[in-house]
């Protein structure tokens, strides 16, 4: 491996150096990564697909912009899980290097698009909650379904454009520039710009949620003083406060799961990563799947509307299962009665 100099000294892109990025050296590490990706990825796809079904199968939720943004988050997590698991396991576990530079950058762009769209969906949800809490009388006029769909379309286009810049030519092979230690063919300057974009996006989300929590606390104090007034308005305020707290929990899980990855990315730009740290980065990357798996659980536990929809789905499934179990008995009874006749 002495000829593989790209990840160690960040030299210029030359030749087939994909083996240099295969940091899992033992079979135990590969099996562990495979199990984690398989478990987290399968659960993530199942749970987020269930969230999408619950949102769009109920007229009460699919018409609300806040649940459209949550649906966008679930869709982004599904895409990220599928693309990440397939490409990550294929590369690190099966050590497949038979794909081209363009195919690798295409897969990397898909993961980056999904992650950016997930963060952007959280930001739009935070802004939606802030408008709902701070300007309830004007909320329906300000946040319409058309504006929600337009915002979602714009954010996906922006995220995809930024994520696929390496495929469009901003990579160290085309530019003959310094390559990243963590990702093949990725230019260090692009990685720096992508990290800055993510950090700014996270900062905007934190700032927006800080205002949401501040307004939520004001509403809690208001409701305590106005217990004798209309229950409908208080009920709506309680729903807004509950949803705001739920989304803050989502953000906390997001930061916890993605912080190790971002820290190691930043460190790789300013310093040289050891072989041990690069293995740590590979395992920390699976925390991204854990984040996508935890988000739907938070929705089911905190959102009363989604939880009610889930209970209806489970009840309907139990009834169908009960009918299918009783049908053979009914059929046998019918046959015996015919024979007796």
């Amino acid at each position: 491996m002495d000829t593989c100099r790209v990840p160690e000294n960040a030299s210029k892109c030359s030749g087939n150096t994909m083996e240099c990025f295969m940091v899992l050296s033992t079979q135990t590490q590969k099996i562990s990564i495979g199990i984690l990706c398989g478990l987290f990825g399968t659960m993530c796809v199942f749970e987020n697909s269930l969230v999408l079904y619950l949102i769009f199968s109920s007229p009460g939720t699919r018409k609300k912009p806040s649940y459209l943004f949550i649906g966008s988050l679930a869709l982004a997590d599904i895409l990220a899980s599928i693309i990440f698991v397939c490409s990550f396991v294929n590369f690190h576990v099966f050590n497949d290097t038979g794909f081209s530079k363009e195919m690798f950058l295409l897969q990397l762009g898909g993961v980056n698009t999904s992650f950016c769209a997930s963060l952007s969906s959280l930001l739009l949800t935070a802004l939606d909650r802030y408008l709902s809490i701070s300007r309830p009388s004007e909320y329906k006029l300000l946040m319409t379904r058309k504006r929600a769909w337009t915002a979602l379309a714009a954010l996906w286009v922006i995220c995809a454009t930024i994520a696929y810049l390496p495929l469009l030519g901003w990579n160290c092979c085309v530019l003959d520039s310094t390559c990243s230690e963590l990702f093949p063919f990725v230019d260090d300057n692009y990685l720096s710009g992508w990290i800055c974009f993510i950090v700014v996006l996270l900062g905007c989300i934190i700032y927006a949620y800080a205002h949401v929590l501040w307004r939520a606390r004001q509403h809690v104090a208001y409701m305590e003083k106005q217990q004798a007034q209309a229950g409908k308005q208080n009920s709506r305020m309680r729903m807004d406060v509950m949803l705001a707290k739920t989304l803050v929990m989502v953000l906390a899980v997001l930061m916890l799961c993605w912080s190790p990855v971002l820290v190691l990315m930043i460190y790789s730009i300013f310093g040289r990563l050891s072989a041990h740290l690069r293995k740590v980065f590979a395992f920390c990357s699976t925390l991204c799947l854990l984040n996508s798996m935890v988000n739907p659980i938070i929705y089911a536990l905190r959102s009363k509307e989604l939880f009610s929809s889930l209970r209806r789905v489970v009840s309907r499934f139990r009834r169908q299962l009960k009918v299918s179990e009783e049908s053979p008995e009914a059929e046998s009874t019918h046959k015996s009665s015919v024979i007796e006749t």
Side-chain angles (χ1 to χ4, degrees):
M1 299 296 293
D2 292 336
T3 57
C4 296
R5 306 295 296 174
V6 173
E8 295 181 3
N9 60 3
S11 63
K12 293 181 179 180
C13 179
S14 60
N16 183 15
T17 59
M18 298 294 289
E19 293 83 358
C20 306
F21 296 87
M22 297 177 180
V23 296
L24 303 182
S25 56
T26 66
Q27 196 69 19
T28 302
Q29 294 173 353
K30 295 180 180 180
I31 293 175
S32 301
I33 283 289
I35 292 175
L36 289 175
C37 290
L39 178 62
F40 293 164
T42 301
M43 292 298 296
C44 176
V45 172
F46 171 75
E47 293 172 358
N48 284 285
S49 298
L50 180 60
V51 169
L52 285 177
Y53 174 77
L54 294 177
I55 290 175
F56 290 100
S57 64
S58 174
T61 54
R62 67 168 175 258
K63 294 181 180 180
K64 294 183 178 180
S66 57
Y67 286 102
L68 292 179
F69 300 146
I70 293 176
S72 175
L73 176 62
L75 177 61
D77 287 337
I78 291 174
L79 294 177
S81 299
I82 295 175
I83 301 173
F84 177 85
V85 169
C86 293
S87 59
F88 195 80
V89 171
N90 191 44
F91 184 80
H92 285 288
V93 177
F94 297 106
N95 299 138
D96 183 16
T97 58
F99 48 85
S100 62
K101 175 191 71 175
E102 289 75 16
M103 181 58 65
F104 176 84
L105 294 178
L106 181 66
Q107 295 174 351
L108 183 63
V111 175
N112 290 341
T113 299
S114 303
F115 174 53
C116 294
S118 179
L119 284 178
S120 301
S121 299
L122 279 175
L123 178 58
L124 289 180
T125 308
L127 296 176
D128 173 77
R129 286 302 88 198
Y130 178 75
L131 288 176
S132 177
I133 293 176
S134 62
R135 305 174 70 176
S137 60
E138 306 175 24
Y139 171 74
K140 291 185 177 180
L141 295 177
L142 295 174
M143 186 57 67
T144 61
R145 289 189 65 195
K146 182 178 180 180
R147 291 181 178 179
W149 281 112
T150 301
L152 287 174
L155 80 85
W156 278 90
V157 170
I158 293 174
C159 292
T161 301
I162 295 175
Y164 282 106
L165 285 177
L167 182 62
L168 297 176
W170 192 354
N171 59 75
C172 57
C173 295
V174 173
L175 301 178
D176 196 27
S177 56
T178 304
C179 296
S180 169
E181 291 185 275
L182 294 174
F183 305 100
F185 314 121
V186 174
D187 179 67
D188 250 353
N189 292 327
Y190 169 79
L191 183 60
S192 301
W194 187 84
I195 293 174
C196 290
F197 171 72
I198 296 300
V199 170
V200 170
L201 196 56
L202 288 173
C204 293
I205 294 174
I206 294 173
Y207 180 79
Y209 276 107
H211 279 74
V212 169
L213 284 181
W214 176 63
R215 296 296 300 183
R217 291 193 63 182
Q218 285 187 331
H219 277 299
V220 170
Y222 174 79
M223 286 186 292
E224 291 176 351
K225 295 179 181 180
Q226 304 292 331
Q227 290 295 331
Q229 291 188 0
K232 183 178 180 180
Q233 183 179 8
N234 288 339
S235 176
R236 179 179 178 181
M237 290 181 180
R238 287 191 183 94
M239 182 189 67
D240 291 337
V241 172
M242 179 67 72
L243 188 52
K245 292 180 179 179
T246 298
L247 297 172
V248 170
M249 291 176 60
V250 173
L251 179 60
V253 172
L254 179 77
M255 294 295 295
L256 180 64
C257 293
W258 280 91
S259 292
V261 173
L262 291 176
V263 168
L264 288 174
M265 285 183 184
I266 296 173
Y267 182 79
S268 69
I269 295 175
F270 298 100
R272 186 175 301 174
L273 291 177
S274 63
H276 175 71
L277 285 179
R278 291 167 63 201
K279 291 180 181 179
V280 171
F281 177 80
F283 278 92
C284 287
S285 299
T286 60
L287 292 176
C288 307
L289 290 176
L290 179 62
N291 168 73
S292 299
M293 186 184 71
V294 170
N295 283 345
I297 299 176
I298 299 177
Y299 303 151
L301 293 178
R302 303 286 296 182
S303 174
K304 291 183 179 180
E305 290 181 276
L306 289 184
F307 187 72
S308 299
S309 299
L310 179 61
R311 290 182 62 181
R312 288 194 297 269
V313 171
V314 173
S315 299
R316 186 165 59 248
F317 176 76
R318 286 180 177 177
R319 288 195 299 267
Q320 293 176 352
L321 185 62
K322 186 177 180 180
V323 170
S324 63
E325 290 177 351
E326 293 178 350
S327 58
E329 298 178 0
E331 184 178 356
S332 62
T333 303
H334 175 70
K335 287 182 179 180
S336 62
S337 63
V338 172
I339 293 174
E340 291 176 358
T341 303

